[in-house]
Amino acid sequence: MIGRFSRGDEGVGIARAGSRRSRVLAVVITCVVALGGCTVGEGRGGGTEAISDDNPYAKEFRQAYEGAPDDFTKGVLEDGRITESEALEYADRRRQCYVEKGLMDVTINVDGSASWTAPPSIGDDGEREITSSCDGSWNSPWNIVNLYVATRDNPENKNRDEAVATCLRHRNVVPDDFSVADYKTMVSDSAQYAKWMDGISNESSPDYDADKAAALEACLSNPF
């Protein structure tokens, strides 16, 4: 199977590559990807009263809590913060679920990136059923992976598009008058956006610039 890459409206990237026996999932920056919990287990899940209105991510945590698939995830979300140990436990629960259902060489990281090997006996359909079952079903665009990475990298919950446009200007990738509106217009046209990025980062391009290519990667990865 040929690997594919897709980017969501909120700057989320998913990359999957490999054959039936191997799959890789990498979340570049999380906002929209739906990844839930594994096996349910015991959890608190007592409500969101502990989430302060002053929390920059109060709305997102409440949305995630309402859409959470089990008590464990509700318990993690209910105080409006996700610690590294909670993110690690969440990742380990998903890993255990994958292994219990027959996947091999499973690695799951706190940022949502993951890799595993599916035996031929499982097949593509079986593999999809396993990952869907273990990841859970969320009724919200926010989940533990998304919120953990977002609150870690962007604690003030700043607008990502504005941050990217500012970063690109400061790193001299774009002209000084490049605005967030210009960036949104560029991103809205996938062909234009791909051509622009390729012109900067492809070494065979006549406009290739190593410094700008490195700056572009940095700004798109974490502009905050």
Side-chain angles (χ1 to χ4, degrees), residues 20-31:
R20 172 181 295 179
R21 293 189 176 91
S22 178
R23 295 291 186 271
V24 176
L25 174 72
V27 178
V28 175
I29 190 155
T30 63
C31 279

Side-chain angles (χ1 to χ4, degrees), residues 31-224:
C31 279
V32 181
V33 183
L35 299 174
C38 272
T39 53
V40 175
E42 293 297 325
R44 300 181 298 278
T48 59
E49 293 80 5
I51 300 177
S52 169
D53 289 337
D54 294 331
N55 186 328
Y57 286 90
K59 178 181 178 181
E60 289 82 357
F61 269 97
R62 288 171 181 143
Q63 288 179 342
Y65 182 91
E66 293 301 321
D70 56 57
D71 285 344
F72 168 75
T73 54
K74 286 180 180 291
V76 171
L77 297 165
E78 65 185 3
D79 62 354
R81 60 191 293 266
I82 301 172
T83 65
E84 183 180 11
S85 62
E86 288 173 330
L88 286 167
E89 181 177 357
Y90 175 70
D92 189 58
R93 282 172 174 255
R94 287 183 62 210
R95 185 193 64 79
Q96 291 179 22
C97 185
Y98 281 28
V99 171
E100 290 171 0
K101 292 182 179 295
L103 298 183
M104 302 167 60
D105 304 319
V106 180
T107 298
I108 306 243
N109 302 308
V110 295
D111 64 356
S113 60
S115 64
W116 61 85
T117 299
S121 59
I122 289 180
D124 288 344
D125 290 341
E127 182 184 355
R128 281 190 289 269
E129 290 176 5
I130 290 173
T131 56
S132 177
S133 172
C134 290
D135 292 349
S137 177
W138 285 74
N139 297 316
S140 165
W142 290 94
N143 56 63
I144 289 179
V145 171
N146 293 343
L147 280 168
Y148 175 72
V149 175
T151 54
R152 180 193 66 187
D153 296 344
N154 181 19
E156 297 179 14
N157 199 6
K158 296 179 179 178
N159 182 281
R160 177 177 171 77
D161 288 340
E162 291 181 358
V164 171
T166 300
C167 180
L168 292 174
R169 287 197 306 270
H170 288 173
R171 299 290 294 269
N172 298 315
V173 178
V174 295
D176 290 339
D177 60 352
F178 186 83
S179 67
V180 63
D182 293 328
Y183 177 71
K184 288 182 177 180
T185 298
M186 184 184 299
V187 172
S188 67
D189 186 333
S190 58
Q192 178 189 1
Y193 189 55
K195 182 179 179 180
W196 172 72
M197 289 195 298
D198 189 65
I200 295 173
S201 57
N202 189 331
E203 294 185 13
S204 63
S205 169
D207 298 323
Y208 171 74
D209 184 307
D211 291 337
K212 286 186 177 182
L216 174 63
E217 181 179 356
C219 288
L220 294 179
S221 176
N222 184 4
F224 305 105

